Amino acid sequence: MNHYVGIAGTNDLKSTNLKLMQYIKNHFSEKAEIELVDISDLPVFFKNKDRVIPEKAAEISMKIEAADGVIIATPEYDHSVPAVLMNALEWLSYARHPFVGKPVMIVGASYGTLGTSRAQAHLRRILDSPELSARIMPSSEFLLGHSLQAFDEDGNLNNEEKVTLLDGLFEDFEVFSNISKHLTNANDEQRKEVENYSWKD
């Protein structure tokens, strides 16, 4: 059974993206272990000469390093990812680099129709940056629109078509994660490049 880290890119305890991550954790509990991590209380990112990161960021980094993959649910603000998610990714690419070669699946929920499509595209660009170098699952989008009406009283998705789509994407992510375990030839060199990346202005 694979172990994944789940990140809801929000500091809102009532966020439907947090609800979506909780659903994913519960819905796939017999197929994978999904550990949700909280990024809401990380301090605002700042560069320091010793490249020291907060203890909470170091803990999350170690969990990602040990995981078989990461699932991120992103809200969409102003056609982009929220500041709290960007802030977390900055800490997670500053002194440690847990995302290098790490399989990532992106999902998102929004009150409107588009289901965070622009934010997901934005997040793909961020995760593909030299400082992160994640291995993002291609040709996969889970866009949950009208998310306030998308869950029943028990926190389950109430649209069978969406459930079927998510089931298929998760199965693909399992395959993608398992294949990624064998794609290690470039990882060491890639990690060296990332660690040598300069954050100087």
Side-chain angles (χ1 to χ4, degrees):
M1 181 179 287
N2 282 334
H3 169 248
Y4 301 119
V5 165
I7 299 174
T10 179
N11 54 6
D12 180 2
L13 294 178
K14 296 181 179 179
S15 169
T16 53
N17 280 277
L18 177 56
K19 186 174 287 190
L20 176 57
M21 279 305 316
Q22 290 167 338
Y23 171 77
I24 289 173
K25 171 184 171 69
N26 295 329
H27 183 65
F28 297 113
S29 61
E30 295 185 0
K31 296 183 176 180
E33 179 187 355
I34 302 174
E35 179 182 4
L36 304 187
V37 298
D38 180 18
I39 62 170
S40 63
D41 57 353
L42 287 171
V44 174
F45 176 77
F46 63 95
K47 294 188 292 184
N48 56 79
K49 63 180 182 179
D50 297 320
R51 299 188 76 169
V52 176
I53 65 175
E55 182 178 346
K56 180 66 177 291
E59 290 175 0
I60 295 173
S61 180
M62 287 188 287
K63 289 181 179 182
I64 292 174
E65 288 170 354
D68 296 299
V70 179
I71 304 171
I72 302 177
T74 180
E76 181 172 312
Y77 299 156
D78 301 326
H79 291 184
S80 64
V81 301
V84 65
L85 179 54
M86 176 76 79
N87 185 62
L89 293 175
E90 286 168 349
W91 280 122
L92 295 171
S93 61
Y94 184 50
R96 304 176 67 122
H97 306 279
F99 278 98
V100 174
K102 189 67 63 175
V104 177
M105 175 180 174
I106 301 172
V107 300
S110 71
Y111 296 172
T113 304
L114 297 179
T116 76
S117 60
R118 295 183 180 93
Q120 290 194 36
H122 183 206
L123 182 54
R124 284 178 177 272
R125 291 197 299 272
I126 295 170
L127 291 168
D128 197 39
S129 67
E131 304 94 316
L132 285 157
S133 295
R135 183 171 286 132
I136 311 148
M137 186 166 78
S139 303
S140 63
E141 285 185 319
F142 184 75
L143 309 172
L144 185 64
H146 304 293
S147 58
L148 286 175
Q149 297 81 38
F151 299 91
D152 64 21
E153 294 179 355
D154 297 319
N156 296 314
L157 288 176
N158 55 29
N159 184 317
E160 286 301 320
E161 291 182 0
K162 287 294 185 181
V163 173
T164 300
L165 174 60
L166 184 59
D167 286 347
L169 289 174
F170 189 80
E171 284 187 26
D172 288 346
F173 186 58
E174 288 267 80
V175 173
F176 182 67
S177 299
N178 290 332
I179 290 174
S180 293
K181 294 174 184 177
H182 303 286
L183 303 178
T184 59
N185 292 329
N187 273 10
D188 290 341
E189 291 304 316
Q190 192 174 24
R191 183 173 294 278
K192 289 177 183 177
E193 288 185 5
V194 171
E195 290 174 350
N196 290 331
Y197 185 84
S198 174
W199 277 71
K200 294 180 180 179
D201 294 327

